């Protein structure tokens, strides 16, 4: 059994304090810790609990960014697509998608896409290789269940089975290299001495204690909350400047299955896809400007209904989508760069590193904007910069070629066959074995072994076979604080909508037994979990 992931603050000053445990912060923590730096990460919520989970699950080059002539961003993204399939092969795999009714621009764009990914198949595992795009015949469209599509091009990118698990894999690998993580720990203000930031004062909501975390360099990786963090410190108000006028809201729906192949819809000012995922269809995103306070944003029934209407108006689906077809929905705000302006659709997704020394404040960087796909590459650049500018000694990067936690798998097909054999010997269904491999990689057998300990843990919690053993593994190995952490970020039990009171109650019992919750705490956690997995009513 591997060493559990621990929740703690550092006991002494660190080289790097990262505020924000989304994919940007966790990838940076791994990069920095693996290169010899002392690293601490704090987040006001859970690991990957906000924007990093509000994704369409694609790991992609960004075909539409070619329209903005962001060739460098697309090239880097395509290279990172291959890298993530190599270092997290259980979590990232190729996915084919159909672009309906393509014109000349689409043909030219996809040809350029193939050229820019000329090295896409320099990867040992043949299951991770990506073919060039091709035009589908009428018969090929019909065979894919796309009789409703007139013409189409098939091309490939990659897809995450669970972005929450991938973000957590970065965090867990970072901790293996010595980084500390403290969730539900809010940075109340930055510590400023003269013209230098020296860390942050943080409040741990779990213990109720306040601590000063001292650091040579502090990185603001708070995503949409980046401005709020800067403006929380009176000395930095001039540096913070005015709040961004607009942010981008992205909403996704999980519905009954609609297509067997991913279909992309592109209009003049938006795009969304309908993708098969976990026996359902995943639809989104919206690209809606949001101008309110970050803390006031929430998923609403109105936003869900708007997306349903947009899908019916713009997507070429075999049948009309009804609100009753939606089993789950999620969303969030994207952290666009400060130069994005008001056009959230055409705004660049390139990452931006702001060195506040240019504004007269040393020891503080802000990492803003960016794509999930590029987070590892961005982290590598940030640590390179720390070595050059901050006087920190850093080793060479190894993150592009070293597997993440659970990802030391040379051949995913062989790994799938092996876990299926073990599962069959234990009378566990094949779909459960496949799901465990996709979520846990080399640790899947540890979860499988738990299923024989207690009859509850073999209970199927989702239609696609996720067992309650994943709850037991989470509370024993992965330091969740709340039941919602377990259901939405350590496991996928809450991702397909409300699993029902019986499953929720059993999950709460398992968590309470290991985490020492009394009856009142169990009831509070269960009530919060019910609200989290159900569609909003207003």
């Amino acid at each position: 059994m591997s060493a559990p992931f621990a929740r703690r603050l550092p006991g002494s000053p660190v080289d790097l304090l990262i505020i924000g445990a989304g994919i940007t912060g966790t990838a940076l923590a791994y990069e920095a810790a693996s290169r010899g730096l002392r690293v601490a990460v704090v987040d006001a919520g859970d690991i990957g609990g906000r924007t990093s989970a509000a994704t369409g699950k694609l790991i992609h080059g960004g075909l539409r960014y070619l329209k903005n002539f962001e060739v460098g961003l697309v090239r880097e993204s395509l290279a990172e697509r291959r890298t993530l399939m190599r270092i997290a092969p259980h979590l990232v795999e190729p996915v084919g998608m159909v672009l309906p009714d393509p014109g000349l621009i689409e043909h030219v764009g996809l040809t350029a896409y193939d050229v820019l990914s000329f090295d896409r198949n320099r990867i040992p595992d043949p299951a991770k290789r990506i073919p060039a795009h091709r035009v589908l015949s009428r018969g090929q469209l019909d065979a894919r269940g796309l009789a409703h599509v007139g013409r189409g091009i098939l091309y490939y990118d990659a897809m995450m089975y669970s972005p929450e698990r991938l973000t957590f894999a970065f965090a867990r690998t970072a901790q293996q290299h010595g980084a500390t993580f403290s969730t539900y720990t809010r940075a109340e203000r930055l510590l400023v001495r003269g013209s230098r930031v020296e860390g942050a004062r943080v409040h741990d909501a779990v213990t109720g204690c306040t601590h000063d975390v001292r650091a040579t360099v502090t990185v603001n990786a708070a995503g949409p909350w980046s401005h709020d963090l800067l403006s929380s410190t009176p000395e930095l108000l001039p540096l913070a400047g005015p709040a961004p006028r607009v942010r981008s809201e992205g909403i996704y729906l999980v519905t009954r299955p609609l297509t067997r192949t991913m279909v992309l819809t592109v209009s003049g000012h938006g795009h969304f896809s309908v993708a098969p995922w976990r026996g359902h269809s995943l639809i989104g995103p919206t690209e809606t400007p949001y101008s309110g306070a970050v803390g006031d944003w929430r998923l609403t029934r109105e936003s869900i209904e708007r997306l349903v209407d947009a899908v019916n108006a713009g997507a070429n689906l075999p049948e009309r989508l009804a609100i009753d077809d939606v089993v789950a929905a999620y969303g969030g705000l994207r952290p666009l760069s400060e130069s994005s302006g008001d056009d959230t659709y055409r705004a660049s997704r390139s990452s931006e590193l702001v060195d506040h020394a240019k504004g007269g404040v040393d020891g503080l960087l802000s990492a803003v904007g960016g794509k999930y796909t590029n987070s590892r590459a961005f982290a590598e650049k940030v640590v390179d910069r720390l070595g050059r500018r901050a006087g920190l000694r850093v080793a060479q990067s190894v993150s592009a070629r070293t597997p993440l936690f659970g990802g030391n798998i040379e051949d995913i097909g062989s790994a799938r066959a092996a876990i299926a054999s073990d599962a069959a010997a234990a009378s566990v269904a094949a779909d459960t074995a496949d799901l465990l491999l996709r979520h846990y990689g080399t640790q899947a057998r540890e979860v499988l072994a738990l299923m024989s300990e207690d009859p509850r843990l073999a209970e199927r919690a989702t239609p696609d076979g996720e067992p309650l053993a994943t709850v037991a593994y989470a509370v024993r190995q992965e330091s969740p604080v709340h039941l919602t952490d377990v259901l939405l970020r350590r496991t996928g039990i809450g991702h397909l909508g409300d699993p029902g009171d019986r499953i929720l109650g059993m999950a709460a019992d398992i968590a309470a037994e290991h985490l020492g919750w009394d009856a009142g705490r169990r009831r509070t956690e269960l009530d919060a979990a019910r609200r989290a997995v159900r569609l909003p009513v207003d």
Side-chain angles (χ1 to χ4, degrees), residues 205-325:
V206 176
T207 65
C209 297
T210 298
H211 307 264
D212 285 352
V213 180
R214 300 283 175 179
T216 303
V217 177
T218 301
V219 176
N220 175 5
W225 289 265
S226 291
H227 180 271
D228 293 357
L229 175 62
L230 292 177
S231 61
S232 68
T233 304
E235 299 95 320
L236 300 180
L237 279 174
L239 192 70
R245 296 189 307 275
V246 64
R247 295 174 175 89
S248 173
E249 174 192 271
I251 301 295
Y252 294 88
L253 308 178
V254 181
T255 74
R256 63 178 175 84
L258 298 169
T259 64
R260 299 199 305 268
T261 300
M262 186 172 181
V263 181
L264 196 63
T265 295
V266 180
S267 66
H269 197 74
H271 76 291
F272 53 85
S273 63
V274 181
W277 178 70
R278 294 190 65 178
H280 292 69
S281 283
L282 177 64
I283 305 176
T286 57
E287 193 81 47
T288 308
Y290 174 79
S291 56
V294 176
D296 292 340
W297 183 89
R298 66 182 181 89
L299 181 66
T300 65
R301 185 80 172 191
E302 180 184 5
S303 63
I304 293 171
E305 291 172 347
R306 277 200 309 266
L307 180 51
V308 169
D309 290 341
V311 170
N312 284 326
N316 190 4
L317 291 177
E319 50 190 304
R320 188 172 178 82
L321 185 67
I323 191 69
D324 290 342
D325 295 324

Side-chain angles (χ1 to χ4, degrees), residues 87-166:
I87 67 175
H90 57 305
L91 287 164
V92 185
E93 62 186 13
V95 62
M97 61 191 77
V98 172
L99 182 63
D101 301 321
L104 178 61
I105 292 177
E106 287 75 21
H107 281 279
V108 171
L110 283 167
T111 299
Y113 207 56
D114 287 342
V115 170
L116 289 169
S117 62
F118 64 91
D119 53 356
R120 61 187 177 274
N121 291 327
R122 293 178 186 172
I123 188 167
D125 189 345
K128 302 300 180 182
R129 292 174 189 168
I130 289 180
H133 79 279
R134 60 190 174 92
V135 176
L136 295 181
S137 68
R138 177 71 270 166
Q140 289 169 326
L141 288 168
D142 291 348
R144 290 177 173 269
L146 301 176
H148 57 289
V149 175
R151 296 177 298 116
I153 294 177
L154 175 68
Y155 75 101
Y156 287 80
D157 263 312
M159 193 170 188
M160 297 176 278
Y161 195 70
S162 170
E164 296 84 1
R165 294 298 308 177
L166 184 52

Side-chain angles (χ1 to χ4, degrees), residues 12-18 37-40 191 196-200 213-219 361-365 386 389-393:
S12 59
V14 295
D15 298 314
L16 190 64
L17 170 63
I18 301 167
L37 299 184
R38 296 167 298 164
V39 179
L191 301 175
R196 185 172 188 85
V197 169
E198 296 184 336
V213 180
R214 300 283 175 179
T216 303
V217 177
T218 301
V219 176
V361 178
D362 290 321
L364 177 64
L365 304 174
L386 292 174
R389 302 287 181 88
L392 297 173
R393 297 185 63 182

Side-chain angles (χ1 to χ4, degrees), residues 6 26 36 48 57 66 99 108 131 133 135 162 164 254 266 280 315 320 366 373 375 390 406 418 434-435 442 448 478:
T26 56
K57 311 187 193 307
L66 287 176
L99 182 63
V108 171
H133 79 279
V135 176
S162 170
E164 296 84 1
V254 181
V266 180
H280 292 69
R320 188 172 178 82
S366 286
T373 303
S375 297
D434 186 62
L435 184 144
T442 58
L448 186 64
E478 299 181 335

Side-chain angles (χ1 to χ4, degrees), residues 238-496:
L239 192 70
R245 296 189 307 275
V246 64
R247 295 174 175 89
S248 173
E249 174 192 271
I251 301 295
Y252 294 88
L253 308 178
V254 181
T255 74
R256 63 178 175 84
L258 298 169
T259 64
R260 299 199 305 268
T261 300
M262 186 172 181
V263 181
L264 196 63
T265 295
V266 180
S267 66
H269 197 74
H271 76 291
F272 53 85
S273 63
V274 181
W277 178 70
R278 294 190 65 178
H280 292 69
S281 283
L282 177 64
I283 305 176
T286 57
E287 193 81 47
T288 308
Y290 174 79
S291 56
V294 176
D296 292 340
W297 183 89
R298 66 182 181 89
L299 181 66
T300 65
R301 185 80 172 191
E302 180 184 5
S303 63
I304 293 171
E305 291 172 347
R306 277 200 309 266
L307 180 51
V308 169
D309 290 341
V311 170
N312 284 326
N316 190 4
L317 291 177
E319 50 190 304
R320 188 172 178 82
L321 185 67
I323 191 69
D324 290 342
D325 295 324
V326 180
V327 301
Y330 63 92
L333 299 177
R334 300 182 184 91
L336 302 180
S337 67
E338 295 300 311
S339 59
S340 298
D342 293 338
D343 188 342
T344 61
Y345 176 70
R346 293 186 174 85
S348 174
R349 264 41 175 199
S350 61
S351 303
E352 183 177 343
L353 181 66
V354 179
D355 187 343
H356 294 288
K358 296 177 181 178
V361 178
D362 290 321
L364 177 64
L365 304 174
S366 286
V368 295
K371 294 170 72 233
Y372 194 115
T373 303
N374 298 63
S375 297
R376 188 219 61 85
F378 181 49
E380 184 177 337
K381 295 173 187 176
V382 172
V383 176
D384 287 345
R385 184 184 183 107
L386 292 174
R388 294 194 304 269
R389 302 287 181 88
L392 297 173
R393 297 185 63 182
V394 297
Q396 290 295 311
S397 178
V398 298
S399 61
R401 58 184 183 274
T402 304
L404 293 176
F405 183 83
N408 191 16
I409 300 171
E410 294 184 0
D411 186 312
I412 197 68
S414 298
R416 183 165 288 119
I419 192 69
S421 176
D422 289 351
S427 300
V428 173
D431 60 349
T432 294
D434 186 62
L435 184 144
L436 294 181
L437 178 67
R438 287 169 178 266
H439 270 173
Y440 299 97
T442 58
Q443 310 308 118
R445 284 186 175 85
E446 293 185 10
V447 187
L448 186 64
L450 294 175
M451 297 175 68
S452 62
E453 284 188 7
D454 181 337
R456 294 177 304 170
L457 303 187
E459 184 87 18
R460 291 170 69 94
T462 63
D464 60 344
E466 181 161 2
L468 282 171
T470 61
V471 175
Y473 184 83
V475 296
R476 297 180 191 190
Q477 289 284 309
E478 299 181 335
S479 290
V481 172
H482 297 293
L483 185 57
T484 50
D485 300 339
V486 174
L487 298 175
L488 296 176
R489 288 174 287 280
R490 303 298 188 275
T491 77
I493 292 174
H495 293 165
L496 300 180

Side-chain angles (χ1 to χ4, degrees), residues 456 483 500-510 522 526 530:
R456 294 177 304 170
L483 185 57
D501 284 342
R502 179 171 174 274
I503 292 297
L504 289 176
M506 292 173 72
D509 288 343
I510 294 165
R522 177 192 177 279
L526 187 54
R530 286 194 185 101

